[in-house]
Amino acid sequence: MADITAVRALADRITANVEKVVYGKGDKVRLLLCALLCGGHVLMDDIPGTGKTSLARALARSVDCGSKRVQFTPDLLPSDLTGINFYQQKTGEFVFRPGPIFTNIVIADEINRTTPRTQSALLECMEERQTTVDGVTYPMEEPFLVIATQNPVESQGTFPLPEAQIDRFFMKLSLGYPDNASEKLMIGNYMEESPLASLTPVCQKSEILEASRAVKKVTVSGAVRDYLVALSDATRHNDAIRLGVSPRGTLALTRASQAWAALSGRDYVLPDDVKAVALPVLSHRIISRSQNTVRLVSSNETILQSILDTVPAPI
C-alpha cells in the first residue's frame, strides 16, 4: 500500500501542475497518466483549439524526462522520425544520428496529415519499443509515450490511420469545450503570457518508472477478470457491432483498470475502475455495422455504454 499511496500522490501532483495550463480537464489528465504508467499511447481526436497539443506539452513538461514534438506533414519521411546513418568525413565511418522518436514523450501533432509510409514507421516503435534503421535495431528508452493529435473535422490533405495503427493506441481521448468557469479562468491567466512557458517538472523519471512497476502489482481478482472478458465478448456478439474488441483491447482494458485503481489509492481493481476507463480504451477499437469501416467514436461510445449497462458486474 505504501507504493500505491506514492502513485496516488504522484498523480495528484502532476494533475495539479498540468491544470495550470489546461483548465477543468483533470479527468483527461488522469487518463493520460494511466497510459503513461501502463506504457500505452494516446490518440487525441478533437477540433482545433481545444488544447490537445497544450495538454500533451504540459504533461511532458511536468515530468523531468525527454520530450520532443513532431509536426506531421505530407512531406515528412520515415527517416525524419527514426534517424539516419550519415558519413562522417573525419573518421571515415557512418554514424547514426537518432531522430526525434528517441525520447521519452513524443508529441505527434496532426498525425493524419502525413503519408501511410511515415505513419507505419511508428508501428514498431509503439508496439515493440524498438526501431530498425539499415538493419540495426535500436531500443526505445523507458518510459516511452506517444501522444498523437488529429483533427476530425477536416478531411482534405489527410491520410486516415490504418486499422493496425489505431489498435496500437492504448486509448483515444477527446477534450471537448471547457465549461464557462474554466474558460473565464483561462482568459485571466493567459492575458500576459502562456502559463506553459513557466511550467516546471514536479517529478523525476525514476518516480514514473517506480509507479509503473507498482501499477503492475495491482490485484485483479478472478471475478473482475471474468467481467473484463465478458465485456470484450459482448462486443463480438452485439448485433450493432461489426468488428469487436481485439485481445489486445482486453489486455489494455485490464492494464488501464489497474492504473485507475492505483490512481484512486487502491491496490485492487473494482468493477467501477473498469467502467471508468472502458470508453476511452475500447471506443476506437470497434466498428459498428452502420459505419462500414469508418469509426465514429460518439456512436461507438453509445453502444459501449449500453453494453456496460447490460453486462452484470460482480458484486
Side-chain angles (χ1 to χ4, degrees):
M1 282 302 295
D3 292 339
I4 297 301
T5 303
V7 172
R8 182 173 186 176
L10 175 68
D12 292 342
R13 202 160 67 239
I14 295 177
T15 301
N17 200 51
V18 173
E19 285 196 305
K20 295 177 182 178
V21 177
V22 181
Y23 307 100
K25 303 296 180 182
D27 56 336
K28 307 298 182 183
V29 178
R30 298 181 83 83
L31 287 170
L32 271 176
L33 287 175
C34 283
L36 177 61
L37 298 181
C38 294
H41 309 286
V42 179
L43 178 62
M44 302 187 70
D45 183 274
D46 211 334
I47 60 175
T50 52
K52 301 185 298 296
T53 304
S54 296
L55 176 57
R57 293 178 64 192
L59 176 65
R61 290 199 177 190
S62 297
V63 182
D64 191 14
C65 63
S67 65
K68 292 181 181 178
R69 175 181 175 271
V70 181
Q71 183 66 48
F72 279 64
T73 56
D75 59 348
L76 191 73
L77 298 175
S79 58
D80 294 330
L81 286 178
T82 59
I84 60 171
N85 287 306
F86 72 97
Y87 184 74
Q88 194 173 58
Q89 293 184 348
K90 288 185 177 180
T91 61
E93 298 177 347
F94 281 92
V95 179
F96 178 64
R97 178 181 294 164
I101 202 71
F102 288 93
T103 188
N104 297 116
I105 300 178
V106 180
I107 303 173
D109 228 352
E110 295 188 284
I111 189 174
N112 60 334
R113 290 202 171 275
T114 195
T115 60
R117 182 185 177 192
T118 305
Q119 290 174 3
S120 64
L122 282 174
L123 287 176
E124 185 182 12
C125 304
M126 292 170 62
E127 185 67 18
E128 301 178 21
R129 300 296 194 276
Q130 64 182 27
T131 188
T132 303
V133 179
D134 293 339
V136 180
T137 300
Y138 302 91
M140 300 288 107
E141 185 181 354
E142 295 292 340
F144 180 64
L145 170 68
V146 174
I147 304 177
T149 70
Q150 69 176 12
N151 173 16
V153 178
E154 296 179 347
S155 59
Q156 293 183 349
T158 62
F159 303 87
L161 295 176
E163 300 296 323
Q165 187 153 340
I166 287 181
D167 199 60
R168 277 170 169 78
F169 281 101
F170 188 73
M171 61 177 61
K172 189 174 185 178
L173 297 179
S174 178
L175 294 182
Y177 292 114
D179 55 49
N180 291 347
S182 298
E183 197 160 13
K184 183 178 179 181
L185 182 63
M186 179 188 68
I187 293 174
N189 291 342
Y190 275 78
M191 289 293 287
E192 296 183 4
E193 66 173 3
S194 170
L196 187 63
S198 57
L199 205 66
T200 56
V202 294
C203 75
Q204 302 295 318
K205 183 195 302 184
S206 58
E207 294 180 82
I208 296 296
L209 295 175
E210 290 175 6
S212 298
R213 288 191 287 267
V215 164
K216 294 177 181 178
K217 298 178 182 178
V218 172
T219 301
V220 183
S221 66
V224 174
R225 295 183 190 185
D226 292 339
Y227 181 55
L228 289 162
V229 172
L231 288 175
S232 296
D233 187 64
T235 66
R236 301 164 190 163
H237 298 90
N238 190 292
D239 293 337
I241 297 177
R242 181 176 182 179
L243 178 66
V245 173
S246 66
R248 182 191 284 130
T250 308
L251 291 174
L253 183 59
T254 304
R255 294 197 299 267
S257 302
Q258 288 178 294
W260 193 263
L263 297 186
S264 302
R266 281 179 282 99
D267 60 352
Y268 56 90
V269 175
L270 294 175
D272 286 343
D273 299 320
V274 178
K275 293 180 179 181
V277 297
L279 296 185
V281 172
L282 301 182
S283 61
H284 63 291
R285 301 177 189 271
I286 66 173
I287 298 177
S288 66
R289 295 192 181 277
S290 60
Q291 293 174 235
N292 195 12
T293 59
V294 180
R295 285 184 171 89
L296 297 175
V297 176
S298 58
S299 173
N300 290 352
E301 288 183 347
T302 302
I303 298 173
L304 284 173
Q305 188 60 56
S306 68
I307 290 176
L308 290 172
D309 295 337
T310 307
V311 176
I315 299 176

